[in-house]
Amino acid sequence: MQRNELTFPKGSFLGRIGQDSWDQLSSLWTVNSYRSGHFLISADDESSDVFFVLDGSVKATVYTDGGREVSFLTFNNGDCIGEFSAIDEAPRSSDAIAETDCIAARLAPEQFRQLLRIHSDMSYGLLTLLVGHLRYLSKRVVDFNAKSADERLRENLLDLAERNCKHDEALIEKPPTQTELAAFVFSSRESVAREMGRMRKARVLGRKKRALHFPSVKLLREYVAKG
C-alpha cells in the first residue's frame, strides 16, 4: 500500500510516523479484509498481535456478566488496536469488532516491540495515542457519573451530527443502531428509542429512508443545551 500525507489523519498512529518507520512497519505486517461484524480480536484470544486500521472502522467492546454489550472506543483509519497486550503480554482487555467492512494489517507483538525500541517517532506516536485514549475515557467516566443516559445520548448524537454537518444539515447514511447507541452511552435500547422519539417530536431528528437526518445542527445544539 502506497502512502502520502493524505492517506491517514494526522492525529492517528499511522499519520504520526515518518516514512522510514512506515516502510519498516508495512514490510512486516500482513493485510486482510474483514466484513462488518467480524471479530478482529476476541477477549479470550491467546494472541497478542497488533492491528492497524487501513480502511473502515472497528469498535472496542466488552460484555458484562449478564451479556450486555458496552462499547467505549471506535478506531478509524490509521489507528492501532491491541497494543496493550503486545506491550505488557497480559490478556486482552476487550473485543475488537469490525463496525464496517474494513481492511486491517496485523503484526506480531515481538516485531511491534522491536520497532518501538528502534523508532522514536513510533514510540512517541503510541504514547500520544494512549494519552488521548486516557483523556477520552476519563471524560466518559465523568459524564457517566454526572449526566443522565438521555443527556449522554443527546451529546453523542450532536457529536455525530457536527462531524457530518454540511450547511447546518447532517445526514448519516449508515447510522448506528439503537442497540449500538445504547451500548455506547451505557443505556438500554428502550431508553434510546424513547429519547429519539422525543427528538423527532421536537423536529431536531428525522429519517430519510435508512439515513439519520438532522435538519438543523444549530437547533440540535440548542436542544442539547436546554437538557
Side-chain angles (χ1 to χ4, degrees), residues 27-109:
S27 70
L28 294 172
W29 66 28
T30 57
V31 178
N32 292 288
S33 298
Y34 300 89
R35 300 299 299 270
S36 176
H38 184 94
F39 278 70
L40 281 71
I41 294 173
S42 179
D44 57 3
D45 278 350
E46 294 184 2
S47 163
S48 297
D49 290 354
V50 183
F51 291 79
F52 304 87
V53 182
L54 304 181
D55 186 48
S57 64
V58 177
K59 63 179 179 180
T61 298
V62 296
Y63 291 90
T64 66
D65 291 339
R68 181 178 172 186
E69 178 184 346
V70 178
S71 298
F72 53 93
L73 278 174
T74 298
F75 301 91
N76 297 299
N77 294 6
D79 290 333
C80 65
I81 314 165
E83 69 280 358
F84 284 14
S85 291
I87 292 171
D88 64 11
E89 300 182 67
R92 297 291 195 187
S93 57
S94 69
D95 299 314
I97 306 170
E99 199 168 39
T100 64
D101 291 349
C102 67
I103 300 172
R106 183 170 186 164
L107 183 71

